[in-house]
Structures are given as C-alpha cells and as structure tokens.
Amino acid sequence: MNIEENIKEIKRFLANENCKLIAVSKTKSVEEIKVAYDAGQRDFGENKVQELQEKVPQLPADIRWHMIGHLQTNKVKYITTFVHLIHSVDSLKLLREINKQGKKSGRVINCLLQLHIASEESKFGLSESGLYELLTSDEFQSLQNINVTGLMGMATFTDNTEQVRSEFRYLKNIFDKVSEAYTVPNTSWNEISMGMSDDYQIAVKEGSTMIRVGSKIFGARIYH
Ligand SMILES: *Cc1c(COP(=O)(O)O)cnc(C)c1O
C-alpha cells in the first residue's frame, strides 16, 4: 500500500469538486497516519473514543479530528476539548451532552446529524421524520454550544450501484429540503458527509461534500 499515492489518486478525483477527503485511520498506527500527514492530509476520522485519546497527543496539533463512529453519551467529555466535527449524532440526548461539554470547554462543537438511509437494519441514525422532529424541538433550538452543519449517511453494503446511488440521492434530497424549509438557530447547512472507499465516486456525483475513506488509503483493516 502506498498511502501517499492513494491519497493523490483520490485528490485527483476531487480536483474540481466541492468535496473534502476525510482519511479514516481507525485501527491504523500513528506511523501510518504520519505518512498521510506528510502527504498533506489534515482531516482524519476515527470511530472509537479511546483510540482517539491515544493517538491525538502523538500527532501534530493541526490535524482536524473527525469522530465518525457511534458515540456514547458518557464518552462525549473525552473528545469535546479537541474534536473538529462529530459526524454521528443521532439523538437529542447526545446533543444535550455535547452541548453541556462544549460549554465546559468554552467551545461550540460542530456536529452532523446521522440519517439512516440504508436498507439494512441498524440501531444508528435518525429517520427522516425523526430529523424534522428534532430540528423543530424547542430544546434543540436552545442549545448554544453546538452547531449542526449538515447530515451524514451510510449507504447499504451492496454491489448494486443503483441502490447506493438512490440512497445518496435520498440524503441529498433531505438536505435540500431542510436547508430550504427550516431556518433553525445553531444550524448552518453546508455539509453532506457520504461516500466511503467503495462508493465515494457515486457519492461525489450525488453531492457529497465530505467523503470518509479508509481502506482505499491505508489498506484493509485487520481486527485482532
Ligand atoms: C470505517 C468507516 C469508514 C471508512 O470505510 P472504508 O470502507 O474503509 O473506506 C467510513 N465511515 C464510517 C462511519 C466508518 O466507520
């Protein structure tokens, strides 16, 4: 695996697109992350709080860390001092805690709301109606230490590219609807985080502004 070459190839694909690359470094070593950093990469995504806590102090301070995995309420406090963007927010309970911890560290925490767009069963992600309910709730609108900048979604794990495309299109539609119809305090609708190693090219064509790519950069992950 040539990490530098892989990044360059993806960047070439993104050259004329309004889309950022988040390098997903979960399970990968600090040394591998440094190689990507030296190739100019600054946005990295992790899905475990403990792994973030271990890696962050060992790496340059100008890295923008993205939390992309399911986040438990009791672990929020460990990342709110430094996290750049939390992609995986799917409940008011979690937002409430992020807001509380953001206030403690004197920061406004950027968040994306995760939508469930895949056909697979999953405990994670809001439904479309759940999203509207959240956005219009008084409590949500009163949270001053969060800034919701857009939506995140994961397509079904399938070879059927038309299905994947239609799921991304669905997310983009919801994004457009929300940005037109809802003027909500503490939101700014700029980002649609969608697309991974196997489907980022489709996602970008469907309007993604952030792709989260791991194995296409760092190679397959080995879980012990
Ligand atoms: C692991 C992960 C990715 C990256 O997956 P690849 O297929 O290796 O690119 C993207 N998004 C989320 C939420 C992930 O957990």
Side-chain angles (χ1 to χ4, degrees):
M1 266 290 155
N2 186 328
I3 293 171
E4 187 177 357
E5 265 314 307
N6 296 340
I7 289 175
K8 274 192 193 147
E9 190 186 319
I10 299 166
K11 289 261 173 78
R12 271 196 295 275
F13 182 80
L14 296 180
N16 297 311
E17 309 283 351
N18 171 32
C19 184
K20 288 182 281 289
L21 170 62
I22 316 301
V24 176
S25 48
K26 62 191 188 196
T27 80
K28 299 297 171 180
S29 67
V30 165
E31 287 68 35
E32 289 165 298
I33 297 174
K34 275 186 184 145
V35 174
Y37 180 90
D38 289 339
Q41 182 64 27
R42 290 295 178 273
D43 289 273
F44 290 88
E46 292 278 343
N47 69 339
K48 293 210 164 71
V49 169
Q50 196 187 337
E51 205 172 327
L52 264 172
Q53 284 179 288
E54 284 166 17
K55 286 173 174 174
V56 169
Q58 303 182 60
L59 285 155
D62 63 340
I63 288 180
R64 292 179 290 269
W65 291 103
H66 297 250
M67 176 64 192
I68 62 169
H70 177 65
L71 182 56
Q72 286 171 291
T73 313
N74 60 354
K75 299 212 170 135
V76 168
K77 59 176 176 285
Y78 301 119
I79 64 168
T80 34
T81 52
F82 64 84
V83 74
H84 176 69
L85 177 64
I86 304 174
H87 290 232
S88 43
V89 179
D90 62 359
S91 72
L92 185 56
K93 179 169 167 252
L94 188 54
L95 278 169
R96 196 180 289 142
E97 179 64 14
I98 296 169
N99 185 69
K100 180 177 152 196
Q101 298 302 332
K103 193 171 285 174
K104 270 193 190 163
S105 39
R107 298 182 73 212
V108 173
I109 312 292
N110 295 319
C111 300
L112 302 179
L113 297 175
Q114 181 174 357
L115 267 278
H116 180 62
I117 59 170
S119 63
E120 293 139 341
E121 289 282 327
S122 165
K123 300 193 290 275
F124 307 128
L126 290 156
S127 65
E128 186 175 352
S129 60
L131 170 71
Y132 300 143
E133 203 175 298
L134 177 68
L135 289 175
T136 50
S137 77
D138 290 341
E139 186 181 358
F140 172 77
Q141 301 194 9
S142 74
L143 303 176
Q144 298 191 339
N145 287 74
I146 54 148
N147 180 31
V148 170
T149 61
L151 302 177
M152 184 272 235
M154 285 167 91
T156 303
F157 184 70
T158 172
D159 292 335
N160 183 342
T161 55
E162 282 319 304
Q163 182 180 351
V164 170
R165 188 184 312 282
S166 82
E167 290 171 358
F168 288 149
R169 209 164 270 181
Y170 173 62
L171 187 62
K172 173 69 161 70
N173 271 328
I174 297 175
F175 176 89
D176 289 342
K177 255 194 243 176
V178 170
S179 49
E180 282 161 27
Y182 291 81
T183 339
V184 179
N186 61 39
T187 60
S188 54
W189 296 96
N190 302 310
E191 307 289 359
I192 309 176
S193 169
M194 59 182 188
M196 308 176 20
S197 288
D198 291 333
D199 57 21
Y200 75 84
Q201 299 186 333
I202 303 171
V204 170
K205 294 301 168 213
E206 297 304 326
S208 173
T209 68
M210 284 184 170
I211 54 173
R212 310 176 309 270
V213 179
S215 40
K216 274 271 155 62
I217 295 175
F218 295 106
R221 285 178 293 276
I222 299 156
Y223 290 95
H224 298 283

